[in-house]
């Protein structure tokens, strides 16, 4: 049976109301509910997914209230009630995931902040990166305060070699994109990708998979769950990250269905390949 591991990365971007601050915060257990839903939905498809919990990013604490990306938190709760994410622990967490790669056929990572994606990047990866935004800024590496909007600068500096193909990018900021900027999925560079880095804000808004980021540069007609599932099925990656995913804003559970369908498709193809080798 295909060995599949599911891990959450508990980082969220939190607006501090009336303070003009957007905080990158460590929120323990923020992925617990969605991981449980993925596990349960996978069981319905006779898939065994190992719940690996959350990446260790600090000791557990309870903020005492729920975090909402759009509403933020009152200024009086900052910084006493909420912890800034520890970037050093996030970097160290990558090593834990790299060790798991030798034991698992597929790693699924999920989190509400795209900053968590850096935990899956490894030297030698071929990455299909699906995002509405480039997350790549025109600043000197040392001057960047790493956030969901600049994690690709960290990748550029710390992960070499890596081959990245960007799909569905509409907002490129001032530095463009890191890697190849594909204009269409007809360019099948993704076929050799072992790693899919998926920001759910890439999807056409009609699917209502997220409700945080608008699409001022227009929708990508190709950014459909069906197309993305087809890309994953053809490539058969061993790592898939689903980022900026917040189940509250996945109104019709289409995002959840895509995650589970992706696990099912990759698992089925791995098992088919294994049977061919055995026979």
């Amino acid at each position: 049976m295909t060995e599949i591991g599911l891990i959450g990365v508990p980082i969220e971007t939190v607006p501090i109301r009336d303070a003009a601050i957007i905080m990158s915060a460590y929120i323990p257990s923020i992925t617990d509910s969605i991981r449980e839903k993925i596990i349960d939905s996978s069981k319905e498809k006779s898939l065994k997914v190992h719940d690996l919990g959350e990446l260790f990013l600090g000791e557990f604490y309870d903020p005492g209230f729920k975090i909402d990306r759009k509403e933020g938190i009152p200024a009086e709760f900052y910084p006493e009630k909420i912890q800034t994410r520890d970037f050093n622990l996030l970097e160290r967490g990558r090593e834990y995931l790299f060790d798991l790669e030798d034991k698992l056929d597929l790693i699924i990572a999920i989190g509400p902040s795209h900053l968590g994606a850096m935990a899956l990047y490894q030297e030698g990866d071929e990455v299909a990166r699906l995002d509405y935004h480039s997350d790549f800024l025109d600043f000197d590496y040392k001057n960047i305060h790493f956030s969901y909007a600049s994690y690709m600068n960290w990748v550029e500096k710390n992960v070499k070699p890596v081959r990245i193909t960007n799909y569905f990018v509409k907002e490129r900021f001032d530095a463009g994109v890191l890697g190849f900027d594909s204009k269409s999925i007809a360019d099948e560079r993704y076929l050799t990708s072992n790693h899919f880095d998926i920001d759910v804000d890439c999807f056409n808004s009609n699917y209502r998979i997220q409700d945080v980021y608008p699409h001022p540069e227009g929708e990508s007609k190709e950014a459909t769950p069906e197309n993305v599932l087809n890309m994953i099925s053809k490539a058969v990656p061993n790592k898939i990250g689903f980022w900026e995913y917040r189940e509250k804003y996945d109104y019709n559970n289409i995002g959840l269905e895509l995650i589970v369908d992706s696990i099912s498709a990759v698992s089925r193809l791995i098992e088919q390949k294994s049977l061919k080798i055995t026979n």
Side-chain angles (χ1 to χ4, degrees):
M1 180 175 285
T2 308
E3 294 294 326
I4 306 161
L6 171 66
I7 193 160
V9 182
I11 304 173
E12 178 58 295
T13 304
V14 184
I16 312 301
R17 296 201 294 267
D18 304 318
I21 296 172
I22 297 180
M23 180 183 186
S24 181
Y26 161 53
I27 312 293
S29 298
I30 198 169
T31 70
D32 285 359
S33 176
I34 186 57
R35 292 195 336 272
E36 182 178 352
K37 289 183 178 180
I38 293 170
I39 297 292
D40 290 344
S41 296
S42 297
K43 285 180 181 177
E44 294 176 4
K45 292 180 178 288
S46 300
L47 297 166
K48 184 177 181 181
V49 178
H50 302 284
D51 186 3
L52 305 174
E54 291 187 327
L55 197 66
F56 179 77
L57 298 179
E59 297 300 325
F60 180 85
Y61 78 98
D62 184 358
F65 51 87
K66 289 188 176 181
I67 305 295
D68 185 273
R69 171 64 180 88
K70 293 176 73 175
E71 296 177 5
I73 63 173
E76 58 264 30
F77 289 172
Y78 170 79
E80 288 78 11
K81 297 284 188 178
I82 190 168
Q83 291 185 12
T84 302
R85 56 100 183 101
D86 187 322
F87 196 78
N88 290 329
L89 285 178
L90 181 56
E91 287 188 305
R92 272 183 252 160
R94 296 173 67 239
E95 301 303 322
Y96 169 70
L97 291 180
F98 296 162
D99 289 341
L100 288 177
E101 281 193 64
D102 295 330
K103 305 170 186 175
L104 298 169
D105 298 298
L106 175 64
I107 295 175
I108 300 291
I110 191 162
S113 171
H114 207 162
L115 180 62
M118 58 169 275
L120 285 188
Y121 275 80
Q122 186 176 19
E123 290 77 6
D125 275 356
E126 294 196 27
V127 184
R129 183 178 177 278
L130 286 51
D131 194 349
Y132 192 83
H133 309 92
S134 66
D135 292 348
F136 188 50
L137 303 179
D138 190 16
F139 289 113
D140 182 83
Y141 169 76
K142 295 180 181 178
N143 294 330
I144 291 174
H145 177 72
F146 286 99
S147 70
Y148 60 95
S150 60
Y151 82 98
M152 293 305 291
N153 293 82
W154 181 91
V155 171
E156 178 187 43
K157 182 69 176 181
N158 292 278
V159 187
K160 298 177 181 178
V162 61
R163 178 179 180 266
I164 301 167
T165 304
N166 294 270
Y167 293 92
F168 313 137
V169 176
K170 292 282 190 175
E171 290 196 38
R172 293 171 174 80
F173 305 125
D174 44 12
V177 300
L178 177 62
F180 183 76
D181 189 4
S182 181
K183 305 304 181 184
S184 170
I185 59 175
D187 164 22
E188 295 185 325
R189 289 166 62 100
Y190 65 82
L191 288 176
T192 56
S193 296
N194 69 298
H195 173 184
F196 272 66
D197 175 3
I198 303 172
D199 185 328
V200 299
D201 73 22
C202 75
F203 291 105
N204 191 296
S205 298
N206 292 333
Y207 294 96
R208 306 189 75 200
I209 295 175
Q210 66 91 27
D211 190 24
V212 174
Y213 299 104
H215 289 169
E217 302 299 324
E219 306 285 347
S220 172
K221 294 180 179 179
E222 291 187 324
T224 70
E226 293 80 11
N227 281 342
V228 171
L229 181 60
N230 185 54
M231 292 167 72
I232 290 170
S233 299
K234 288 182 176 179
V236 194
N238 66 345
K239 294 183 287 189
I240 308 176
F242 292 94
W243 308 107
E244 301 289 343
Y245 183 87
R246 302 167 179 92
E247 57 188 299
K248 176 180 179 180
Y249 297 116
D250 182 14
Y251 292 100
N252 299 313
N253 287 328
I254 293 176
L256 173 61
E257 291 175 9
L258 172 63
I259 294 168
V260 177
D261 286 346
S262 298
I263 294 171
S264 179
V266 174
S267 176
R268 182 176 65 254
L269 291 167
I270 289 174
E271 289 180 2
Q272 289 175 356
K273 184 183 294 185
S274 177
L275 284 173
K276 287 181 180 179
I277 293 173
T278 302
N279 293 334

